[in-house]
Amino acid sequence: MAQQLLEVTDLHTQFFTRDGVVRAVDGVSFEVAAGETLGIVGESGCGKSVTALSLMRLIPVPPGKIVKGSIMFDGADVLKMDDDEVRGIRGNHIAMIFQDPMTSLNPVLTISRQISEALELHLKMDKSEARKRTIELLDLVGIPSAKKRVDDYPHQFSGGMRQRVMIAMALSCNPKLILADEPTTALDVTIQAQILDLLKNLAREFRTAFILITHDLGVVAGMTQRIHVMYGGKIVEKADTLELFANPKMPYTWGLLRSIPRLDERRKAKLVPIEGLPPDLIAPPPGCRFEPRCQYRHDICKEKEPELVHIPNSKPDHEARCWGTQEGGWLVDTDWHKEVGDERVIEEIKQEVAQLPPEPKPGDGQPPPSAI
Amino acid sequence: MLKYVIRRLLLIIPTMFFVALITFTLAHMAPGSPFDRNANRPMTQETIDRINRYYGVDKPIPEQFVIYMGNLLKGDLGLSFTKQRPVVDVIGQGIGTTFQLGVGALVFSLAFSIPLGIVSALKQNTIVDYLSMLVATIGTTIPGFVIAIFLIYIFGVGLHLLPFVGWGSWQHMVMPMFVLGLGAGGFLTRITRASMLEAIRQDYVRTARSKGLHERAVIVGHALKNALIPVATIIGPATAGLITGSFIIESLFNVPGMGRLYVISILARDYPIIMGTTLLYAFLIMMANLTVDILYGVLDPRIKVR
Amino acid sequence: MATAVTAQEQRAAELNVISRKQRSLWGDAFYRLIRNRAALVGLVVIGFAALVALFAPLIAPYDPLEQHGKDGLMEPIWTKFFGSQFTNPAYFLGSDTLGRDILSRLMYSSRVSLIIGFVPVSIVVAIGLTVGMLAGYVGGAVDDFLMRVTDVVYAFPDLLFVIIIVATLRGTALGEAYDGLLVIFVGIAVVNWVGVARLVRGQVLSVKNREFVEAARAIGAGPGRIMRKHVFPNILAPVIVTVAFAIPGAMLTEAVLSFLGIGIRPPTPTWGVMINEGFIVFSTTPWPVLLPSLCISIVLLAFTFVGDGLRDALDPRSKM
């Protein structure tokens, strides 16, 4: 296999607080190839943002600390670099797009200044070159009248525009890898779509690798080649995107998929949330971290933590961290995706259908009753 | 922006009017006239009446007020009762000294407090932080005259290093400026520190770091610019504090400035001086507040000064 | 069926893996305050001063006004070990010019100082809260009035205003009352209520448009009830902090006034008065100045620490 752009091995990032040591990232390993878009999905607090910040060593050193692991970027270990080298990478080879463009841009500096900064620093441009390039970048990300607006301040832009500015800032030095941490969470739904489209086009045009971090499965569906699901500081499933949606092998992933409301569901169908709360990262349980909330658990799940291994009946690089679906597990070769809840819904649907007035035969000229 | 400034300047006029009205009313609420209880120069009632007539103090108070305001518009602040000289002269004499004292104290406090506040914030919870916060707390809490007394005791009486009466040489200036500056300085340090602490926790600082900027560039170019904005706005209260501080400090160190003059005049019921200095102080404070508002509009691009 | 229910309950119990003890907002703030050591020390000091003030008549060795002419300017008894000739075991902390026992005077001073700390501030808060809430919630004439008054009062340096009020009213009957205590109350109250009213108004304005107020209005609650039950509890926090700092402010004002000679009338002792008197004999002996200075400094510092602690404890954003 060609050398990957990014190889993270056994990363452990912890925060030392008064209440104890929070094991935010507890043994995470993954790779990203050049030009690839990887999605990292999980709920709040699962460690996905901390992972991204760790990659750029942006973790605030007290109280945080990367205690173990290696991050090989382009063949060099980021964790072993000195401060100057790391700064040389930030904004230059790896760039980050943050979640809230409102607070992530400096309110008292013009966007021209904020974008030119990196250009002047890394590409050694002088002021006029940097300014020209800034305007080009703003055009590229779709800011209208870029030349006129380049000296404006962040508060003079709308939320979507601000996020485009952040994207322009991230792209400015042509990085090999861009980390996008919830890039659309703070935006309206319609703007979300625009921004995601923009990112997709940029990824394709500049062959930049992306790590897209989000809690929203809808966002990663159309954007990524592969997806990693994180829970409780660990990766619990790795698969190609389509494979993950079609054939989830970890109950948590399955729970995520099921909790999305669907347009074609019956109106009476209940939303099926995942009950319970995420685990305490200060004192994580000895067994599987998802166990308290899992419908398929057995005793072993409480005692021992499963490893992330290849799962039978799936594509070759599909891995999951679950005793039930692993080789020899009780969920292998079963229809575990359909269970009690589903049967209830199916029963309800059957009863409702029985009570409906008879459908008009085709050709009656009446539209059939809508299913919504 | 210009319209705003003009509007504010115009608003000063009615405010000054009310200031004058209130001060005048209060001053004249004291019973008797300023001239009768004078044990040093016992006078007959006839003499007293003549003096009262001369200074126009025998007229009914509203009439006195109108006369005063009329004169004020002509630039005439009247005659000092105790010094028999035009108020303008008397104030003019004292103002230079007080100005020196005030500016010196302000410069001293700015030069020390702002860097101290910044360093405290950057090195939060270290010895440096605790010490500077201790000093700042002492400066703001312990009354100026108490600190002054301690200093006088150590440097003046004990070590005979610095004079503590009068004005003239730089040695005379050291302790008064220091004490006066300490109060404002303590306040400044706390504000700067709090503001800086908040600024370095902002998301945009993380963004700046993520671009690979050197830490110094992040602190100075990004955090500091934001942090100093609220600090600029305390110039208003700081000026007021310096003015009130000057009363105490000048009285204590016997500095011949407006502050000491003011206190004496109040006790002596020298109305023209009281009125004149009060109006001057009020004007200064309003100008300081206006400056702060303008400064805020200039420094923070988010503020549209309407 | 029965087993399913208990299984469900068991499940629910298991799911609440992370649960912390419930604490009310004020209870939480209280615990955070107590955890702050400086604030705790401050509270102890204030408590001590309050006790001294309360029991002064019982524990003071002398009447504070009683003069012993021949024993003037005695020094505290420990100075004997440093070679002082002027000690008298009858006066533990020494005596002032007129032979009055300093220790007793210090104790009685705490009474006046604490009263000056609390009483005018209570008045200020009462008036300020009322006016501020009306101005903020009802607006209209009250609001305009408040804004005009604020402009004028803010144009004065606050100490100056107090000085004028106190100095000019001193000669009147009001000034004589309670040795000038009433005049000082009036002075402090008149100047400071505006600040509180402004603060309250600002808070009310920001709370007024929050959704829970709208919800209360929607179910038919009248302005009085809304102000009492919804607005008021939510604006309390900054008001409490302001009060915590206003108390030492008032004490300081009295000390300054007394030092300048226009405060409490002698012979009533306050720390400010004692400093004033002691300053005159400063070069002879520093103790009559240093001791009350120390007392007032400690008490003021205590209040400041408590005020800071309250501010941190009540701030929902501060991590504690």
Side-chain angles (χ1 to χ4, degrees), chain A residues 25-43:
Chain A
V25 178
D26 209 19
V28 159
S29 308
F30 63 93
E31 296 101 32
V32 180
E36 168 178 38
T37 301
L38 170 72
I40 298 187
V41 172
E43 47 188 85

PDB file of all heavy atoms in Angstrom, chain A residues 25-43:
ATOM      1  N   VAL A  25      -9.469  10.991  24.223  1.00  0.00           N
ATOM      2  CA  VAL A  25      -9.153  10.138  23.072  1.00  0.00           C
ATOM      3  C   VAL A  25      -8.369   8.965  23.638  1.00  0.00           C
ATOM      4  O   VAL A  25      -7.288   9.142  24.180  1.00  0.00           O
ATOM      5  CB  VAL A  25      -8.321  10.889  22.023  1.00  0.00           C
ATOM      6  CG1 VAL A  25      -7.969   9.956  20.883  1.00  0.00           C
ATOM      7  CG2 VAL A  25      -9.099  12.081  21.495  1.00  0.00           C
ATOM      8  N   ASP A  26      -8.949   7.776  23.532  1.00  0.00           N
ATOM      9  CA  ASP A  26      -8.423   6.674  24.326  1.00  0.00           C
ATOM     10  C   ASP A  26      -7.950   5.523  23.448  1.00  0.00           C
ATOM     11  O   ASP A  26      -8.439   4.422  23.545  1.00  0.00           O
ATOM     12  CB  ASP A  26      -9.547   6.199  25.260  1.00  0.00           C
ATOM     13  CG  ASP A  26      -9.012   5.617  26.538  1.00  0.00           C
ATOM     14  OD1 ASP A  26      -7.844   5.887  26.870  1.00  0.00           O
ATOM     15  OD2 ASP A  26      -9.763   4.888  27.212  1.00  0.00           O
ATOM     16  N   GLY A  27      -6.995   5.790  22.606  1.00  0.00           N
ATOM     17  CA  GLY A  27      -6.488   4.708  21.761  1.00  0.00           C
ATOM     18  C   GLY A  27      -7.137   4.726  20.393  1.00  0.00           C
ATOM     19  O   GLY A  27      -7.921   3.860  20.043  1.00  0.00           O
ATOM     20  N   VAL A  28      -6.818   5.751  19.607  1.00  0.00           N
ATOM     21  CA  VAL A  28      -7.445   5.903  18.297  1.00  0.00           C
ATOM     22  C   VAL A  28      -6.389   5.707  17.221  1.00  0.00           C
ATOM     23  O   VAL A  28      -5.302   6.272  17.300  1.00  0.00           O
ATOM     24  CB  VAL A  28      -8.092   7.303  18.201  1.00  0.00           C
ATOM     25  CG1 VAL A  28      -8.292   7.707  16.764  1.00  0.00           C
ATOM     26  CG2 VAL A  28      -9.403   7.321  18.940  1.00  0.00           C
ATOM     27  N   SER A  29      -6.684   4.889  16.224  1.00  0.00           N
ATOM     28  CA  SER A  29      -5.746   4.675  15.108  1.00  0.00           C
ATOM     29  C   SER A  29      -6.513   4.741  13.809  1.00  0.00           C
ATOM     30  O   SER A  29      -7.573   4.126  13.683  1.00  0.00           O
ATOM     31  CB  SER A  29      -5.079   3.296  15.212  1.00  0.00           C
ATOM     32  OG  SER A  29      -4.515   3.111  16.484  1.00  0.00           O
ATOM     33  N   PHE A  30      -5.996   5.471  12.838  1.00  0.00           N
ATOM     34  CA  PHE A  30      -6.640   5.491  11.525  1.00  0.00           C
ATOM     35  C   PHE A  30      -5.671   6.063  10.502  1.00  0.00           C
ATOM     36  O   PHE A  30      -4.613   6.593  10.844  1.00  0.00           O
ATOM     37  CB  PHE A  30      -7.948   6.284  11.549  1.00  0.00           C
ATOM     38  CG  PHE A  30      -7.790   7.744  11.888  1.00  0.00           C
ATOM     39  CD1 PHE A  30      -7.647   8.707  10.900  1.00  0.00           C
ATOM     40  CD2 PHE A  30      -7.798   8.149  13.213  1.00  0.00           C
ATOM     41  CE1 PHE A  30      -7.510  10.036  11.220  1.00  0.00           C
ATOM     42  CE2 PHE A  30      -7.674   9.480  13.540  1.00  0.00           C
ATOM     43  CZ  PHE A  30      -7.522  10.435  12.543  1.00  0.00           C
ATOM     44  N   GLU A  31      -6.030   5.944   9.222  1.00  0.00           N
ATOM     45  CA  GLU A  31      -5.202   6.510   8.158  1.00  0.00           C
ATOM     46  C   GLU A  31      -6.055   7.330   7.212  1.00  0.00           C
ATOM     47  O   GLU A  31      -7.251   7.090   7.073  1.00  0.00           O
ATOM     48  CB  GLU A  31      -4.540   5.411   7.317  1.00  0.00           C
ATOM     49  CG  GLU A  31      -3.567   4.543   8.053  1.00  0.00           C
ATOM     50  CD  GLU A  31      -4.234   3.228   8.418  1.00  0.00           C
ATOM     51  OE1 GLU A  31      -5.092   2.771   7.654  1.00  0.00           O
ATOM     52  OE2 GLU A  31      -3.905   2.701   9.496  1.00  0.00           O
ATOM     53  N   VAL A  32      -5.399   8.267   6.568  1.00  0.00           N
ATOM     54  CA  VAL A  32      -6.055   9.019   5.507  1.00  0.00           C
ATOM     55  C   VAL A  32      -5.101   9.049   4.323  1.00  0.00           C
ATOM     56  O   VAL A  32      -3.928   9.388   4.470  1.00  0.00           O
ATOM     57  CB  VAL A  32      -6.367  10.464   5.947  1.00  0.00           C
ATOM     58  CG1 VAL A  32      -7.038  11.228   4.821  1.00  0.00           C
ATOM     59  CG2 VAL A  32      -7.249  10.461   7.175  1.00  0.00           C
ATOM     60  N   ALA A  33      -5.623   8.707   3.152  1.00  0.00           N
ATOM     61  CA  ALA A  33      -4.763   8.749   1.969  1.00  0.00           C
ATOM     62  C   ALA A  33      -4.834  10.129   1.345  1.00  0.00           C
ATOM     63  O   ALA A  33      -5.781  10.878   1.573  1.00  0.00           O
ATOM     64  CB  ALA A  33      -5.229   7.688   0.982  1.00  0.00           C
ATOM     65  N   ALA A  34      -3.865  10.452   0.506  1.00  0.00           N
ATOM     66  CA  ALA A  34      -3.869  11.759  -0.153  1.00  0.00           C
ATOM     67  C   ALA A  34      -5.140  11.890  -0.985  1.00  0.00           C
ATOM     68  O   ALA A  34      -5.537  10.966  -1.687  1.00  0.00           O
ATOM     69  CB  ALA A  34      -2.629  11.892  -1.034  1.00  0.00           C
ATOM     70  N   GLY A  35      -5.797  13.034  -0.915  1.00  0.00           N
ATOM     71  CA  GLY A  35      -6.956  13.287  -1.740  1.00  0.00           C
ATOM     72  C   GLY A  35      -8.233  12.624  -1.260  1.00  0.00           C
ATOM     73  O   GLY A  35      -9.305  12.793  -1.831  1.00  0.00           O
ATOM     74  N   GLU A  36      -8.164  11.880  -0.156  1.00  0.00           N
ATOM     75  CA  GLU A  36      -9.348  11.157   0.294  1.00  0.00           C
ATOM     76  C   GLU A  36     -10.150  12.000   1.277  1.00  0.00           C
ATOM     77  O   GLU A  36      -9.600  12.820   1.991  1.00  0.00           O
ATOM     78  CB  GLU A  36      -8.878   9.866   0.953  1.00  0.00           C
ATOM     79  CG  GLU A  36      -9.955   9.140   1.728  1.00  0.00           C
ATOM     80  CD  GLU A  36      -9.448   7.855   2.327  1.00  0.00           C
ATOM     81  OE1 GLU A  36      -8.279   7.842   2.781  1.00  0.00           O
ATOM     82  OE2 GLU A  36     -10.209   6.885   2.340  1.00  0.00           O
ATOM     83  N   THR A  37     -11.461  11.764   1.322  1.00  0.00           N
ATOM     84  CA  THR A  37     -12.278  12.424   2.338  1.00  0.00           C
ATOM     85  C   THR A  37     -12.766  11.385   3.333  1.00  0.00           C
ATOM     86  O   THR A  37     -13.473  10.445   2.974  1.00  0.00           O
ATOM     87  CB  THR A  37     -13.498  13.120   1.714  1.00  0.00           C
ATOM     88  OG1 THR A  37     -13.051  14.085   0.766  1.00  0.00           O
ATOM     89  CG2 THR A  37     -14.300  13.843   2.790  1.00  0.00           C
ATOM     90  N   LEU A  38     -12.357  11.570   4.571  1.00  0.00           N
ATOM     91  CA  LEU A  38     -12.757  10.640   5.625  1.00  0.00           C
ATOM     92  C   LEU A  38     -13.768  11.328   6.530  1.00  0.00           C
ATOM     93  O   LEU A  38     -13.596  12.493   6.863  1.00  0.00           O
ATOM     94  CB  LEU A  38     -11.529  10.239   6.449  1.00  0.00           C
ATOM     95  CG  LEU A  38     -11.803   9.451   7.730  1.00  0.00           C
ATOM     96  CD1 LEU A  38     -12.249   8.039   7.385  1.00  0.00           C
ATOM     97  CD2 LEU A  38     -10.576   9.432   8.602  1.00  0.00           C
ATOM     98  N   GLY A  39     -14.810  10.611   6.902  1.00  0.00           N
ATOM     99  CA  GLY A  39     -15.766  11.185   7.843  1.00  0.00           C
ATOM    100  C   GLY A  39     -15.567  10.593   9.220  1.00  0.00           C
ATOM    101  O   GLY A  39     -15.370   9.391   9.358  1.00  0.00           O
ATOM    102  N   ILE A  40     -15.567  11.429  10.228  1.00  0.00           N
ATOM    103  CA  ILE A  40     -15.536  10.926  11.617  1.00  0.00           C
ATOM    104  C   ILE A  40     -16.844  11.363  12.264  1.00  0.00           C
ATOM    105  O   ILE A  40     -17.152  12.561  12.350  1.00  0.00           O
ATOM    106  CB  ILE A  40     -14.336  11.471  12.404  1.00  0.00           C
ATOM    107  CG1 ILE A  40     -13.036  11.001  11.762  1.00  0.00           C
ATOM    108  CG2 ILE A  40     -14.415  10.985  13.848  1.00  0.00           C
ATOM    109  CD1 ILE A  40     -11.802  11.344  12.550  1.00  0.00           C
ATOM    110  N   VAL A  41     -17.605  10.389  12.700  1.00  0.00           N
ATOM    111  CA  VAL A  41     -18.967  10.655  13.160  1.00  0.00           C
ATOM    112  C   VAL A  41     -19.118  10.230  14.606  1.00  0.00           C
ATOM    113  O   VAL A  41     -18.555   9.221  15.022  1.00  0.00           O
ATOM    114  CB  VAL A  41     -19.956   9.855  12.291  1.00  0.00           C
ATOM    115  CG1 VAL A  41     -21.351   9.944  12.864  1.00  0.00           C
ATOM    116  CG2 VAL A  41     -19.945  10.378  10.879  1.00  0.00           C
ATOM    117  N   GLY A  42     -19.871  11.000  15.365  1.00  0.00           N
ATOM    118  CA  GLY A  42     -20.113  10.595  16.749  1.00  0.00           C
ATOM    119  C   GLY A  42     -20.893  11.676  17.462  1.00  0.00           C
ATOM    120  O   GLY A  42     -21.018  12.789  16.964  1.00  0.00           O
ATOM    121  N   GLU A  43     -21.397  11.356  18.639  1.00  0.00           N
ATOM    122  CA  GLU A  43     -22.167  12.357  19.371  1.00  0.00           C
ATOM    123  C   GLU A  43     -21.240  13.303  20.126  1.00  0.00           C
ATOM    124  O   GLU A  43     -20.027  13.122  20.164  1.00  0.00           O
ATOM    125  CB  GLU A  43     -23.164  11.689  20.312  1.00  0.00           C
ATOM    126  CG  GLU A  43     -22.581  10.575  21.132  1.00  0.00           C
ATOM    127  CD  GLU A  43     -23.681   9.829  21.895  1.00  0.00           C
ATOM    128  OE1 GLU A  43     -24.303   8.926  21.334  1.00  0.00           O
ATOM    129  OE2 GLU A  43     -23.878  10.193  23.067  1.00  0.00           O
TER     130      GLU A  43
END
